[in-house]
Amino acid sequence: MYRFENIKQIHLEITDRCNASCPQCARNILGGKENPHLSKTELSLADVKKILPPHIVHQLKRVFLCGNYGDPGVGKDTLEVFQYLRETNPEMNLGMNTNGGMRSPNWWASLAETIQRKGDVKFGLDGLEDTNKLYRKNVDFHKAMDNIQSFIDHGGRAVWEYIVFAHNEHQVEEARALSQRMGFEKFTIKKTGRFFSNTRLKGRERQEVHDSQGEIEYFLEKPKNPDYQNTSLQKEGAIINEFGSLEEYLNQTQIQCKTLEEGSIYISSQGYVFPCCWTGNQLYLWYNRPRSSEIWKVIKESGGEEFIDAKKEKLENILKGKFFENIQKSWNCSSLATGKLKVCSKTCGQSFNQFKDQY
Ligand code: SF4
Ligand code: SF4
């Protein structure tokens, strides 16, 4: 059961804006047009102080800024939010995930000095100058590198996260060597689980990438080297052999909620509170009709979004409320048809876990 006093970590989506247009990100349609359902919202410093007042910040071990629909690097008050959190809790771990291609080296120096050594920033850099832009569309590689160098030179702990595709798998070792020369603390390979159609429940070898007019520009392909492929996607055939279909596996699998175990919750840029980013990700999917995904059904059955809005309601009350209760109840339903959430079966089931198998 979700209890306020067990919450140790907050994943905060401070904005749903971004300077980039990554083809497998929910904020745009296959890297082209912007997702028309986006709410275009942002949490200000005043919002964060209201949602996370000092007594909550004192309780936390970690806050990290990431999200489903935006990059915290473009958040209007991102630096000020980190300053508030650090001043309120000098010991907590602070972190952020970003493409690094926004703002100035001075801003990144201030961020490093604010986070200090108690936390890190994960930079999504999927290749080198000629290839990073094929996934991190619109990110200027040199600008990102100048920003990151400034962050590192001012004491920041930087992690390079490299999603491997067919077009950049030959550059992994070159990028690793560059990360060492620049002073990154860590270089991490990410084996994306997104070569998978959520609507057809089926893996795929490649995905089209659109331009700003919605025309096909090129294709992203899975890496050829099996060491760089997501192991859950490799298991698809075995699961179908055992259960008859992926859908039947999702009906039957036991759910072990990751964030309940780790005492973590997710807050979206509207201020809505979810058990995790995966449930929050269902809010504005471009391929669904607005407010029609399974998570909206649970929100509506639980009284509506005002009951999960931390800008209006205390976190303590939201965690005790119907929404969190209904999500937990759904795990014991016998099938997707009777209310088991597909997102929970897919993310926290026992055998097929694209997210866990990324690293
Ligand atoms: S940088 Fe992040 S938020 Fe921005 S488009 Fe890419 S994945 Fe989405
Ligand atoms: S997807 Fe469902 S089961 Fe998994 S962490 Fe989120 S709420 Fe928990």
Side-chain angles (χ1 to χ4, degrees):
M1 188 174 168
Y2 285 91
R3 289 184 198 280
F4 170 72
E5 56 274 22
N6 293 341
I7 299 303
K8 298 286 175 248
Q9 173 169 281
I10 307 269
H11 173 179
L12 192 65
E13 180 186 64
I14 197 162
T15 180
D16 66 4
R17 292 188 299 121
C18 187
N19 56 319
S21 189
C22 305
Q24 294 181 321
C25 174
R27 82 172 317 284
N28 59 75
I29 303 174
L30 304 171
K33 294 180 179 172
E34 192 173 83
N35 177 345
H37 307 326
L38 282 185
S39 68
K40 301 198 179 161
T41 44
E42 176 139 348
L43 295 171
S44 66
L45 176 62
D47 294 329
V48 174
K49 283 183 169 175
K50 185 168 184 196
I51 296 169
L52 302 176
H55 78 277
I56 296 184
V57 178
H58 288 144
Q59 169 181 321
L60 298 173
K61 298 264 184 262
R62 174 168 151 84
V63 173
F64 70 101
L65 270 55
C66 184
N68 287 306
Y69 294 97
D71 188 311
V74 304
K76 185 174 65 67
D77 287 349
T78 294
L79 184 58
E80 292 73 13
V81 164
F82 276 125
Q83 285 165 345
Y84 162 67
L85 295 169
R86 177 53 78 227
E87 278 162 20
T88 310
N89 185 338
E91 295 309 316
M92 79 191 312
N93 186 291
L94 297 173
M96 170 168 140
N97 294 50
T98 177
N99 65 60
M102 67 295 282
R103 300 191 178 265
S104 66
N106 278 345
W107 189 90
W108 289 95
S110 301
L111 184 70
E113 284 159 2
T114 302
I115 292 178
Q116 302 159 7
R117 304 287 295 167
K118 296 166 197 156
D120 57 26
V121 172
K122 296 184 173 59
F123 293 93
L125 297 161
D126 314 308
L128 299 172
E129 185 190 358
D130 57 332
T131 48
N132 186 53
K133 60 191 175 198
L134 294 176
Y135 189 69
R136 302 282 158 181
K137 285 179 79 179
N138 307 333
V139 174
D140 179 330
F141 186 73
H142 290 294
K143 184 172 162 73
M145 287 313 202
D146 287 348
N147 287 339
I148 297 166
Q149 195 63 68
S150 174
F151 177 78
I152 293 171
D153 291 347
H154 288 82
R157 295 169 58 208
V159 177
W160 183 321
E161 282 203 338
Y162 190 112
I163 306 178
V164 189
F165 298 98
H167 65 255
N168 66 9
E169 63 186 315
H170 61 292
Q171 292 173 323
V172 168
E173 292 313 318
E174 202 181 328
R176 191 193 305 276
L178 176 59
S179 77
Q180 286 162 356
R181 287 200 300 279
M182 287 179 68
F184 277 84
E185 193 171 278
K186 210 169 158 193
F187 180 87
T188 313
I189 291 291
K190 204 167 171 186
K191 305 168 195 176
T192 182
R194 293 189 181 175
F195 282 99
F196 186 82
S197 164
N198 286 316
T199 45
R200 293 165 53 224
L201 281 182
K202 201 170 169 9
R204 58 184 166 202
E205 292 302 308
R206 63 179 198 164
Q207 182 194 303
E208 57 194 61
V209 177
H210 286 190
D211 63 17
S212 58
Q213 301 306 308
E215 302 295 330
I216 296 178
E217 213 177 359
Y218 51 92
F219 287 86
L220 290 177
E221 290 178 23
K222 279 205 301 206
K224 304 282 179 284
N225 183 342
D227 292 345
Y228 296 147
Q229 292 174 3
N230 186 291
T231 47
S232 266
L233 298 183
Q234 292 168 349
K235 285 183 215 155
E236 187 182 343
I239 290 174
I240 291 172
N241 279 344
E242 186 179 346
F243 292 89
S245 67
L246 262 184
E247 176 140 5
E248 193 45 39
Y249 158 75
L250 297 175
N251 282 333
Q252 290 185 28
T253 189
Q254 295 281 318
I255 290 169
Q256 199 168 2
C257 177
K258 291 189 219 322
T259 53
L260 182 59
E261 280 173 11
E262 63 187 26
S264 174
I265 53 172
Y266 172 75
I267 303 175
S268 72
S269 62
Q270 302 77 34
Y272 300 164
V273 185
F274 295 86
C276 64
C277 59
W278 301 291
T279 43
N281 178 254
Q282 311 292 303
L283 279 176
Y284 303 114
L285 295 173
W286 58 265
Y287 50 81
N288 282 341
R289 277 182 297 109
R291 299 165 68 93
S292 69
S293 64
E294 59 178 3
I295 206 67
W296 276 110
K297 190 161 177 268
V298 185
I299 292 172
K300 287 174 199 162
E301 285 169 2
S302 309
E305 57 265 47
E306 60 268 32
F307 289 94
I308 57 166
D309 187 347
K311 291 207 276 191
K312 297 183 182 149
E313 189 60 74
K314 284 185 175 170
L315 262 188
E316 291 92 319
N317 295 338
I318 294 173
L319 291 180
K320 278 191 284 191
K322 278 270 167 218
F323 179 67
F324 276 76
E325 187 186 321
N326 285 339
I327 286 191
Q328 280 188 263
K329 274 192 194 157
S330 74
W331 301 334
N332 295 323
C333 294
S334 57
S335 66
L336 302 181
T338 56
K340 193 173 184 180
L341 289 172
K342 192 197 273 185
V343 63
C344 295
S345 288
K346 220 159 83 41
T347 314
C348 297
Q350 293 185 315
S351 307
F352 185 78
N353 196 323
Q354 302 143 277
F355 298 103
K356 184 164 142 268
D357 291 339
Q358 287 186 113
Y359 298 101

